Amino acid sequence: MPTLAAEAPSPQGSFPAAASGDPAGVLPAPARATRLFTGLLPAGVAVAEFAGEAPYAELAAGLFPAERAAVARAYPARRREFAAVRSCARAAMARLGAPPLPVLPHGEGPTWARNAPRWPEGLTGSMTHCTGYRAAALTRTGPGHPLLSLGIDAEPNAPLPDGVRSLALRPEEERALPALTAGRPDVAWDRVVFSAKESVFKAWYPLTGRWLGFEDCRITLTPGTTTFTAHLRTELPPPFPTTPLRGHWRLHPDPRTPLLATAVTVARPPHP
């Protein structure tokens, strides 16, 4: 059983470390403790993450019946991903002092809407998975809590396939890549832009119920920092704020783990 210790102090210029751990012992084994999201999310957000794989039978033991039913006809890889990120979500709930609750997909509309998580009342969050890695981040929401929503995304630190890159990046984002690469050639900058847009969409959808295309979001990366700004080029329905969103990115601290992560939060507007 992995032990996810409290995260290390945040990198300069990012948030205080978000709560992390597996207090309920609900993450699968074998797994490796990892801290990919250290410093990317504010205090009050609980993060649970693990690297490794586990058989579906082990992961499914932690699912609620309705969750097992939701993916009963899915491909094996989809069932493993579904169960693994929900084990992370349950660990994050425990870290917040919330009871373990099911996280069901919306189940209606196009594929991107059907698969989006429907969070239990009083909670909001985001989940991510890529090969060998799973994570969930949750926070309490509602009056008296500072966040309306959040989004996280993990990706391999590797260039995007050409077809995806041409679809995901706007011309001005493409033009910014050479200067960014000159400063940090170890970073797959096109992947950072892609990941940032994924995080923005995960924060956008729970508040709007609407699609947000790659072309509707322009990411500006600040050289020499681990921050980015997301400019949304579409109508912003309430309660979505009208200001640009600001997020953070980072590489995994262990170069043997070639992953990068992005995170963005949507703050509750101040009372007038």
Side-chain angles (χ1 to χ4, degrees):
M1 185 67 61
T3 301
L4 302 186
E7 292 185 337
S10 307
Q12 183 178 359
S14 60
F15 288 113
S20 177
D22 180 20
V26 297
L27 295 182
R32 301 192 309 278
T34 185
R35 293 176 175 176
L36 181 58
F37 281 93
T38 296
L40 295 191
L41 291 156
V45 177
V47 179
E49 51 185 339
F50 75 88
E53 300 290 352
Y56 178 70
E58 179 185 346
L59 294 166
L63 291 177
F64 285 83
E67 292 174 324
R68 284 196 293 272
V71 288
R73 298 183 180 181
Y75 289 110
R78 166 64 179 156
R79 293 202 302 269
R80 285 195 300 272
E81 290 170 350
F82 181 97
V85 293
R86 277 154 180 81
S87 69
C88 291
R90 235 85 74 190
M93 288 176 191
R95 192 68 179 82
L96 290 174
L101 295 167
V103 182
L104 296 172
H106 276 270
E108 297 179 353
T111 302
W112 56 268
R114 289 198 305 270
N115 291 338
R118 188 167 68 238
W119 295 104
E121 185 176 359
L123 296 175
T124 191
S126 181
M127 299 184 289
T128 187
H129 52 77
C130 59
T131 302
Y133 177 82
R134 316 284 184 259
L138 271 74
T139 190
R140 294 188 181 275
T141 189
H145 296 283
L147 297 183
L148 291 175
S149 69
L150 63 92
I152 65 170
D153 186 65
E155 298 282 339
N157 182 31
L160 290 170
D162 290 341
V164 177
R165 176 167 167 163
S166 62
L167 177 69
L169 270 63
R170 297 174 55 86
E172 59 268 42
E173 294 165 338
E174 284 274 10
R175 290 194 293 270
L177 294 181
L180 292 165
T181 301
R184 285 285 305 273
D186 58 319
V187 178
W189 289 104
D190 58 348
R191 186 77 70 157
V192 175
V193 174
F194 173 86
S195 181
K197 292 188 180 190
E198 289 285 299
S199 288
V200 169
F201 179 77
K202 292 177 184 181
W204 161 270
Y205 181 71
L207 296 179
T208 67
R210 288 172 31 185
W211 175 253
L212 185 75
F214 287 122
E215 72 281 2
D216 297 324
C217 179
R218 176 170 59 85
I219 300 297
T220 301
L221 291 155
T222 307
T225 75
T226 57
T227 63
F228 65 85
T229 303
H231 305 266
L232 303 184
R233 302 166 59 89
T234 186
E235 179 186 358
L236 302 177
F240 214 86
T242 58
T243 57
L245 299 179
R246 288 178 174 80
H248 295 261
W249 68 272
R250 77 189 301 250
L251 299 185
H252 195 284
D254 185 344
R256 296 171 298 178
T257 304
L259 294 175
L260 61 84
T262 60
V264 66
T265 57
V266 180
R268 184 178 301 279
H271 291 295

